[in-house]
Amino acid sequence: TDGKRNASLEFDSAAYDKNGRIVSIRSQKANISLSLEQYEEFVKTPFEFRQQIGVPMGQAMVRAWILDDVSKKAGTMEIPVTVRAAVAER
């Protein structure tokens, strides 16, 4: 009724060790309220959201999911990763 476009998105991620145990988890929420003019600009570019999470050394799995709190739609993905020790610069 006020001409605004509103969104409420929840971003969650978890890191699992090679045995499938959760070692790190993070959850953040983004509430977005845009005027019609702001919305028209907003949809012209991809939406980016960055989230840092601790991942154990060696083989691990990162699971990320997003929830649209307005429509209650969600999406997930799992990413296998290998974390190696950083090499000192010479």
Side-chain angles (χ1 to χ4, degrees):
T1 60
D2 61 1
K4 298 244 182 210
R5 303 295 191 264
N6 298 302
S8 179
L9 303 171
E10 183 177 327
F11 300 89
D12 300 296
S13 57
Y16 298 80
D17 67 14
K18 64 182 178 181
N19 298 314
R21 292 184 299 245
I22 294 178
V23 295
S24 184
I25 194 165
R26 181 106 189 248
S27 181
Q28 293 174 276
K29 197 168 214 176
N31 293 308
I32 302 167
S33 182
L34 304 170
S35 68
L36 181 57
E37 294 79 20
Q38 291 171 321
Y39 176 79
E40 288 172 353
E41 286 300 312
F42 181 83
V43 298
K44 291 179 182 177
T45 58
F47 178 73
E48 291 186 25
F49 187 87
R50 296 173 189 255
Q51 188 175 61
Q52 292 184 344
I53 187 168
V55 180
M57 295 292 291
Q59 298 291 322
M61 180 72 68
V62 174
R63 179 178 292 154
W65 58 99
I66 182 172
L67 169 66
D68 176 339
D69 208 27
V70 175
S71 70
K72 301 301 183 196
K73 292 182 179 179
T76 63
M77 64 186 214
E78 291 185 346
I79 307 159
V81 296
T82 301
V83 179
R84 296 184 175 91
V87 178
E89 292 185 32
R90 296 177 190 224

